[in-house]
Amino acid sequence: MKVPVRITVNGRLIEREVEPRLLLVHFLRVFAELTGTKVGCDTSQCGSCTVLIDGVSAKSCTTLAVQADGADVTTIEGLADGEKLHALQESFWNKHGLQCGFCTPGMILASHELLRTNASPSDDEIRHGLEGNICRCTGYQNIVRAVRDAAGTVAAADK
Amino acid sequence: MFAADFEYYRAGSVAEAGQLLAAHPGAKLLAGGHSLIPLLKLRLAAPAAVIDIGRIAELRGISTDGDGLRIGALATHAEIAASDAVREHAAALAEAAGQIGDPAVRNRGTIGGNVAHADPASDLPTVLAALGATVTVAGSGGERSIAVGDFFTGVMTTSLGENDLLTSIRVPSAAGRGTAYVKFSHPASRYAVIGVAVSLGIGTKGGGWISKIKGEQKETVCTEAAVAVGGLVPTPVRCGAVEAALNDQPPTAETFAAAAAAASGDIGDDLLGDVFASGEYRKAVAPVYVRRAIEAAAGRAG
């Protein structure tokens, strides 16, 4: 059985006939050809597959493509405005919030969710907000600094 | 990981979901998918058909209803944690929902899926047991209500029938009482190694004319204690001995400690363990979490 799905990925409508068992992360990587979204643990614990579905964070390894039918999905590739990086991307760069970079797309989209729900989080709230995302390189210190920095930039931009 | 192939049907209403269930014996219902999809990927479940109920509008929403809450099956953990109505009438439920998994999981996971999945390491069933909730089910014989105490029948097993669809959960208001949920989280999965939910009132006894004749003073005491423990047992356990040790006793540290110590008998010996924490360890530690949950609830009471 194949099911038609229409998913808008970073503003581009993609229509495919898919097997219902196809995961959203594979739809993004194979059909949308956007490999920024990673498959890490594949058990919804590590967060490297985090994307935004209709603006809200979700783990795309635990979401079927058919569940996102009709939705707007944002991946790491859709966060920058052309050549201009998103404040979170700038801050992860400036504060060295990554080493190998595998967890980074998920970290940045989980941070996006955190700042959506809490514009000026404390360090403790940043750590809790990112508890669904695992990094094996940085020890998290610079990730927390990056999110704190981005929160300041976003707040300044809103004034 | 890839699930075994299945046929996919999307239901537009509860009635349509019922027809699809009847037409596809053994089909699984899909809401947020955060319990079902992991099972499908591990091939612990391989249903021939999956019926998506995730877009049925009548299953959404949280509302106050008479003397309590009506929580639609599709209410997400994030919605429950952020709901003013839930915080007012069942603070422990909002507290527990806000501790499930992580933010992205809470955005997708639903209360109906969580409860129907009946994972013993889950948080919400324990809270619902302490709050005396009832589950509303649409089945081939119409709609019916099941008390939470009769709903969970074993590890990942409930009294739901083949053609039943859990539509909503009714939670009586605990406003005026203090409620709390305290858990020992598994460090990776955030599932409950031990979870304790408490609902507690603080009232007075004595002070009537008989007491005056007898010369007794009015006394502040614990009332309406309800304590449930989950995580280390197949289904949430109501702790009758702990509750009895609280009711009519003064809300003091001594009372709470003595009551919590009674939890071992309530928990019994049908224990769950894993490589992280054995059943014996969990049972030995459980009274500490019972005491903390009682203290937290007492702090919010009155």
Side-chain angles (χ1 to χ4, degrees):
Chain A
M1 182 190 214
K2 285 207 171 185
V3 179
V5 296
R6 295 160 54 89
I7 302 176
T8 303
V9 183
N10 303 331
R12 182 165 64 102
L13 177 66
I14 299 175
E15 297 180 79
R16 288 284 190 283
E17 299 251 324
V18 302
E19 289 186 18
R21 62 177 171 168
L22 183 77
L23 298 169
L24 177 60
V25 67
H26 293 127
F27 184 92
L28 296 171
R29 290 177 58 87
V30 176
F31 294 131
E33 298 183 353
L34 297 169
T35 52
T37 308
K38 307 299 186 214
V39 179
C41 71
D42 212 356
T43 58
S44 69
Q45 295 186 28
C46 83
S48 63
C49 66
T50 306
V51 298
L52 307 181
I53 301 178
D54 292 329
V56 174
S57 71
K59 293 188 165 176
S60 61
C61 84
T62 308
T63 306
L64 299 173
V66 289
Q67 288 179 288
D69 183 23
D72 273 311
V73 173
T74 305
T75 70
I76 190 67
E77 291 92 342
L79 218 50
D81 180 10
E83 291 295 303
K84 185 177 163 26
L85 293 181
H86 187 276
L88 277 161
Q89 292 172 307
E90 271 307 331
S91 296
F92 268 70
W93 182 2
N94 289 332
K95 297 293 174 187
H96 306 283
L98 62 141
Q99 287 176 25
C100 87
F102 190 90
C103 75
T104 312
M107 277 291 175
I108 287 181
L109 289 162
S111 302
H112 189 281
E113 175 74 6
L114 173 66
L115 297 183
R116 182 181 72 81
T117 52
N118 181 357
S120 55
S122 66
D123 281 10
D124 199 41
E125 288 168 334
I126 293 171
R127 288 175 188 278
H128 277 292
L130 298 180
E131 69 183 341
N133 294 71
I134 294 173
C135 172
R136 300 288 78 165
C137 302
T138 62
Y140 302 98
Q141 304 291 353
N142 285 347
I143 292 175
V144 174
R145 287 187 189 111
V147 177
R148 196 199 303 146
D149 185 65
T153 312
V154 171
D158 286 348
K159 271 178 191 166
Chain B
M1 292 181 282
F2 295 89
D5 207 5
F6 52 79
E7 298 198 338
Y8 172 83
Y9 302 96
R10 189 177 291 162
S13 65
V14 170
E16 193 185 347
Q19 291 158 10
L20 286 164
L21 277 170
H24 301 279
K28 282 285 187 186
L29 294 170
L30 172 72
H34 275 49
S35 298
L36 180 62
I37 293 172
L39 287 185
L40 296 174
K41 287 168 71 178
L42 293 167
R43 303 206 178 195
L44 294 171
V50 168
I51 300 165
D52 189 350
I53 57 167
R55 298 171 193 240
I56 301 178
E58 61 197 289
L59 296 178
R60 295 196 176 282
I62 300 170
S63 54
T64 47
D65 170 13
D67 60 344
L69 296 164
R70 179 207 165 272
I71 303 176
L74 290 180
T76 64
H77 306 317
E79 287 166 354
I80 292 166
S83 162
D84 289 335
V86 177
R87 287 185 195 186
E88 182 186 342
H89 294 284
L93 191 61
E95 191 172 28
Q99 292 179 48
I100 293 172
D102 58 64
V105 167
R106 296 195 285 273
N107 284 339
R108 302 283 305 171
T110 65
I111 189 170
N114 175 292
V115 168
H117 186 59
D119 190 321
S122 187
D123 301 291
L124 303 185
T126 306
V127 183
L128 296 173
L131 296 179
T134 51
V135 174
T136 308
V137 173
S140 34
E143 193 174 272
R144 67 187 195 281
S145 292
I146 307 171
V148 159
D150 299 324
F151 183 80
F152 299 104
T153 54
V155 173
M156 292 176 165
T157 316
T158 68
S159 53
L160 284 170
E162 276 283 297
N163 293 338
D164 285 341
L165 166 63
L166 192 166
T167 54
S168 68
I169 295 176
R170 278 206 31 86
V171 184
S173 177
R177 277 167 278 159
T179 69
Y181 180 70
V182 175
K183 81 170 178 178
F184 175 177
S185 292
H186 187 282
S189 69
R190 308 287 177 205
Y191 272 105
V193 173
I194 300 164
V196 185
V198 174
S199 172
L200 189 67
I202 303 284
T204 52
K205 77 169 179 185
W209 63 272
I210 295 176
S211 306
K212 279 181 188 159
I213 291 167
K214 288 184 171 175
E216 289 171 355
Q217 296 295 311
K218 210 166 162 181
E219 194 184 357
T220 302
V221 292
C222 299
T223 62
E224 300 175 271
V227 178
V229 174
L232 72 167
V233 279
T235 62
V237 168
R238 274 290 288 266
C239 298
V242 178
E243 294 168 4
L246 287 168
N247 285 330
D248 283 336
Q249 297 302 311
T252 60
E254 292 73 30
T255 299
F256 300 158
S264 298
D266 288 322
I267 290 165
D269 292 313
D270 190 4
L271 300 171
L272 303 174
D274 59 17
V275 289
F276 177 72
S278 69
E280 292 71 23
Y281 171 75
R282 294 177 196 221
K283 187 175 176 179
V285 175
V288 176
Y289 286 84
V290 174
R291 179 174 53 75
R292 289 179 188 170
I294 295 169
E295 287 168 352
R300 295 171 187 172

